[in-house]
Each structure stands twice: as C-alpha cells, then as structure tokens.
Amino acid sequence: MSFFCLLWVPFFYLFRRSVSGEGGTGGVWALLLGSITAIVQFFLGNIVSPGGFGLSRLLFGFVDIVSLPVLVPFIIYTLLMLFRGFSGTPDFANFALLWIIPVAALRAIGWSSGSDPLLLVIVPLLWTALAVGIAFFINLMANHFRWYVAIPSILCILILPPFAAAAYWAFFSQQHLYGFLLLFAAHIPFIISLLLDFRRA
C-alpha cells in the first residue's frame, strides 16, 4: 500500500499525459514548489488537531489530508497565470498532479508505519479525483463561458473539496457505505474528464 501512495500519482500523471497529449506549462515549478511545500509541512506537522470522529476530524481531513494539499497548486497556478509567469497553454490538472507527487512521496514515508488503506490508497485516489475534477470544470468555463455553464461549474468546484474530505471522514468513522458513495461522487468529474480525453485521442 505504501508503494501505491508513492507511485499512483506519478503513474496517473504519465497515463493522463499520454492520453491527452498535453503537458501544459510550469512542470518544473510544480515539482519544485510542491517539494518545498511537502518538506515544510513534514517538519511543521498538522495544521488542525484531528480530535476524534467529529467536526475536527472532518476539518483535519479537509486541511491536512485531502483537499487543501490539492487546492494550493490551483491557487498558485492561477496567480502565476494572472501575473504571466507562464506562457503557453495552461493545464491545471497536470500542474496539480506534478505538485502532489513530492507530497505523496513524503506522505507515503510518514504513513507507511501504520499501513492504513484509508491513507495509503483512498487518499491518493481522492487527490487525483480533485486535481482532474476541478481542472475539468475550469476548462469547461474557459471553453464555454456562459452563465449557465459558469454557475454550475463554480458550484461543483466549491462542492468537490468538501465531498472528498467527507469521504475521508466517512471511511475513518467506519461508515463505509457513505464513504464509497462520496468517493464515487468525487470521481464523477474525474471519470467524465478521462472519457473526454479518450474521445479526443
């Protein structure tokens, strides 16, 4: 399971790039900044105290485990694009996936002693689901900017991170039915995006 946490994100990145045929811009920056972020968090520890099974555990899942590690590269990439730090075709998904690779590597080392499938298998799946799913809605708005596309896309972008954190919380709380339902819901944009990539390929 530790190898899955370590290798899933880079393998999926290579797979998606081979299917889509696009590499995007800022790959070196993504790896560099992701490495710095991972090392800093590794030494500083958790931002939120996990507590038991309640709201603190859900917030811990959002901030420290599942959602925020994926949202940060989107924020950074958006700022770099606004300040013209990159040229070329933007690819939010590839930037986020590359950012997460060093994060996943250090997490695999830190989590390996516990051999917890939730952390070593489910969480990496949620990372890629968020990275690809959020990027899917950003691209949807960029390519079809209409109010009836933008409003649902923004709502989905806002909903996906809490859904992913809730999936972590449900599995941690041994509510596996809700966990699998939330896991599937978080992967719907991910699946649609992959199907569209296959269709274009």
Side-chain angles (χ1 to χ4, degrees):
M1 288 187 292
S2 298
F3 284 106
F4 183 88
C5 184
L6 179 66
L7 300 175
W8 165 248
V9 179
F11 277 4
F12 178 76
Y13 166 78
L14 294 174
F15 167 75
R16 183 182 180 275
R17 184 168 179 175
S18 68
V19 172
S20 65
E22 298 177 357
T25 58
V28 174
W29 279 106
L31 287 171
L32 178 62
L33 294 173
S35 299
I36 293 172
T37 304
I39 292 170
V40 169
Q41 187 175 20
F42 182 81
F43 285 106
L44 291 182
N46 298 325
I47 298 174
V48 177
S49 178
F53 295 89
L55 182 60
S56 61
R57 174 62 61 172
L58 179 61
L59 188 60
F60 169 72
F62 184 94
V63 173
D64 289 293
I65 304 296
V66 179
S67 302
L68 191 60
V70 183
L71 293 176
V72 169
F74 279 96
I75 297 170
I76 298 299
Y77 197 53
T78 301
L79 292 174
L80 290 172
M81 293 299 298
L82 289 174
F83 289 102
R84 302 186 183 278
F86 299 137
S87 60
T89 305
D91 192 328
F92 283 87
N94 281 346
F95 186 87
L97 290 170
L98 283 171
W99 180 294
I100 298 168
I101 289 174
V103 176
L106 281 181
R107 295 294 179 91
I109 295 171
W111 293 340
S112 60
S113 60
S115 298
D116 186 352
L118 171 57
L119 295 175
L120 297 173
V121 177
I122 300 297
V123 169
L125 291 175
L126 290 170
W127 286 338
T128 51
L130 283 178
V132 176
I134 293 173
F136 168 74
F137 290 112
I138 293 174
N139 294 333
L140 191 63
M141 288 189 291
N143 296 327
H144 309 281
F145 194 76
R146 300 288 188 276
W147 69 267
Y148 53 83
V149 175
I151 293 176
S153 297
I154 292 171
L155 289 175
C156 289
I157 290 172
L158 294 175
I159 289 171
L160 268 178
F163 261 51
Y168 162 82
W169 175 84
F171 280 112
F172 182 86
S173 303
Q174 304 298 315
Q175 300 184 44
H176 294 115
L177 176 60
Y178 292 113
F180 280 113
L181 289 174
L182 290 165
L183 181 66
F184 174 75
H187 275 81
I188 290 175
F190 171 92
I191 295 169
I192 295 173
S193 179
L194 285 184
L195 290 175
L196 291 176
D197 285 339
F198 273 113
R199 183 181 179 183
R200 284 191 291 265

